[in-house]
């Protein structure tokens, strides 16, 4: 996979501390199927023509549409990529896992308004899963509907969920507070327990989610000291913290570090295992890399990847702190 550098000159102070400049480099996902290699070798318009030639042979393959859309996005053919992605809605109209993947891809492409009705449908299909309410809340915030967003997230915080979803309430609470703090106008928080309203900004945050139920993904973050923060070592010397390990749901898992020391931080995901059939030619996952989270200068870089088999470990990207 090729590295993609995403540099940021923005700096933010945490609680009056020193400003920190953070950049992110990503490992680009590149499917390696024969059709993907042919499309990648062609220019944008020719790649779409090749896709049309291949479509009948792969008409029921969700991985095919995901791969082609990725390649078209890489080539700058945004409208064509979105057109290809639209096939997923037709394939998976009653499949919430596939609809989640489609929404993740649309949000990653900077189209949260297109993702919104899809996640509303997922929420209606799976109200018993807190991830459905959380995913919807985050996209509502992305389209400027902050009031509806915090109400959806508060449902996650206060809901009585299956114990395999343990820990998601605390992650949603932090996201709720960040939205309240960043809102351009005051939000109505009267129905929220006042004891829970406290924003806790961090300079570095990584969040992992995935699309298949009964799957175990593990987020790993290794700091410049060489310490790897993961489910078996959740608190590092310099203050990094990993959320509770979720082994049976869709995530999320979250790493936060309030004031990172200078150096390079490596972000990896380990596919520990799954207990159901894979839908998209592999488990799709979304990793969100945040800089200056909870501040007025928050920046987020989304990454969507796919695992094909258990025991794989993928380098997602790196933070460079100066």
């Amino acid at each position: 996979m090729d590295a993609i550098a995403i540099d940021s000159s923005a700096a933010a102070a945490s609680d009056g501390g020193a400003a920190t400049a953070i950049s992110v480099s990503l490992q680009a996902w590149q499917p390696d199927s024969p059709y993907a290699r042919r499309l990648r070798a062609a220019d944008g318009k020719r790649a779409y023509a090749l896709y049309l030639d291949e479509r009948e042979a792969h008409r029921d393959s969700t991985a095919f549409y995901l791969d082609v859309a990725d390649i078209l996005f890489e080539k700058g053919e945004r409208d064509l990529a979105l057109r290809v992605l639209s096939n997923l809605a037709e394939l998976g109209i009653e499949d919430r896992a596939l609809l989640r993947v489609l929404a993740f891809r649309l949000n990653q492409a900077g189209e949260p308004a297109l993702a919104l009705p899809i996640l509303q449908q997922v929420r209606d299909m799976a109200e018993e899963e807190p991830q459905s309410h959380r995913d919807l809340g985050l996209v509502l915030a992305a389209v400027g509907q902050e009031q509806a967003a915090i109400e959806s997230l508060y449902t996650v915080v206060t809901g009585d969920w299956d114990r395999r979803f343990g820990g998601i309430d605390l992650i949603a609470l932090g996201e709720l507070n960040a939205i309240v703090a960043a809102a351009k106008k005051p939000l109505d928080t009267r129905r929220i327990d006042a004891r829970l309203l406290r924003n806790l900004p961090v300079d570095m945050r990584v969040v992992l989610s995935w699309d298949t139920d009964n799957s175990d993904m593990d987020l790993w973050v290794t700091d410049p000291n060489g310490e790897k923060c993961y489910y078996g070592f959740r608190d590092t010397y310099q203050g990094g913290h990993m959320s509770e390990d979720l082994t049976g749901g869709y995530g999320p898992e979250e790493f936060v570090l309030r004031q990172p020391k200078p150096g390079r931080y490596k972000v990896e995901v380990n596919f520990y295992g799954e207990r159901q059939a894979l839908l998209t030619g592999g488990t799709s996952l979304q990793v969100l890399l945040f800089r200056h989270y909870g501040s007025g200068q928050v920046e987020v870089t989304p990454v969507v990847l796919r695992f094909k088999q258990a025991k794989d470990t993928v380098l997602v990207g790196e933070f460079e702190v100066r």
Side-chain angles (χ1 to χ4, degrees), residues 38-40 42-55 64 68-69 71-72 75 77 79-87:
R38 288 195 294 273
L39 267 66
R40 194 174 293 113
D43 63 28
K45 295 297 189 294
R46 176 59 182 157
Y48 187 76
L50 290 172
Y51 151 72
L52 294 175
D53 290 340
E54 295 275 0
R55 185 171 59 181
F64 171 69
V68 172
I71 292 167
L72 290 172
K75 294 180 178 297
E77 298 292 344
D79 290 343
L80 294 177
L82 292 172
R83 186 184 305 175
V84 171
L85 279 179
S86 69
N87 288 276

Side-chain angles (χ1 to χ4, degrees), residues 5-288:
I6 300 178
D7 294 320
S8 169
S9 59
S14 295
D15 294 342
T20 304
I22 304 175
S23 62
V24 176
S25 63
L26 304 179
Q27 290 297 112
W29 164 258
Q30 288 197 339
D32 196 37
S33 60
Y35 63 75
R37 290 194 294 270
R38 288 195 294 273
L39 267 66
R40 194 174 293 113
D43 63 28
K45 295 297 189 294
R46 176 59 182 157
Y48 187 76
L50 290 172
Y51 151 72
L52 294 175
D53 290 340
E54 295 275 0
R55 185 171 59 181
E56 184 61 29
H58 303 281
R59 61 183 305 170
D60 296 323
S61 169
T62 56
F64 171 69
Y65 298 110
L66 291 169
D67 291 347
V68 172
D70 284 344
I71 292 167
L72 290 172
F73 276 125
E74 289 173 14
K75 294 180 178 297
E77 298 292 344
R78 181 182 183 82
D79 290 343
L80 294 177
L82 292 172
R83 186 184 305 175
V84 171
L85 279 179
S86 69
N87 288 276
L88 297 181
E90 299 174 12
L91 285 178
I93 195 66
E94 297 298 331
D95 194 312
R96 62 182 182 269
L98 183 53
L99 292 174
R100 275 192 176 105
V101 175
L102 174 57
F104 287 170
R105 291 299 176 102
L106 291 171
N107 199 37
Q108 181 191 22
E111 297 287 350
L114 296 179
L116 178 57
I118 297 170
L119 291 176
Q120 288 171 328
Q121 180 179 349
V122 171
R123 187 271 318 276
D124 293 342
M125 295 167 66
E127 289 188 305
E128 77 283 1
E129 295 176 349
Q131 289 85 357
S132 301
H133 302 273
R134 175 179 174 266
D135 292 342
L136 177 58
L138 295 178
V139 168
L140 283 166
V143 299
Q145 298 184 38
E146 290 95 344
Q147 187 65 50
I150 66 170
E151 291 169 3
S152 189
L153 290 171
Y154 197 53
T155 298
V156 180
V157 174
T158 58
D160 183 16
W161 311 111
D162 189 286
R163 63 182 181 179
R164 68 194 178 97
F165 300 128
I168 191 173
D169 52 346
L170 293 177
I171 294 173
L173 179 60
E175 291 165 337
L176 182 158
N177 275 287
I179 292 169
V180 172
K184 293 182 173 60
K185 59 182 181 180
L187 302 180
D188 183 356
T189 59
R190 288 174 293 179
R191 67 180 292 259
I192 299 173
D193 188 329
R195 294 170 297 179
L196 302 178
L197 290 172
R198 184 186 178 194
N199 186 38
L200 299 173
V202 294
D203 273 348
M204 185 181 297
R205 180 178 186 247
V206 184
V207 183
L208 165 68
S209 305
W210 54 94
D211 70 306
T212 49
D213 199 0
N214 294 313
S215 298
D216 186 2
M217 299 286 172
D218 293 318
L219 178 62
W220 299 349
V221 180
T222 304
D223 67 21
N225 296 330
E227 281 192 306
K228 183 171 74 175
C229 195
Y230 70 112
Y231 68 89
F233 186 75
R234 293 174 55 196
D235 296 286
T236 66
Y237 175 78
Q238 68 162 304
H241 175 73
M242 185 69 67
S243 64
E244 182 177 341
D245 183 30
L246 298 182
T247 62
Y250 307 90
E253 294 192 5
E254 175 191 58
F255 170 84
V256 292
L257 178 57
R258 184 181 179 191
Q259 292 180 317
K261 65 179 286 186
R264 190 174 294 271
Y265 295 77
K266 182 170 64 174
V267 179
E268 298 172 287
V269 176
N270 175 254
F271 183 4
Y272 189 79
E274 50 80 25
R275 297 186 295 281
Q276 69 176 48
L278 298 183
L279 175 72
T280 59
T283 292
S284 293
L285 56 92
Q286 175 177 252
V287 184
L288 300 175

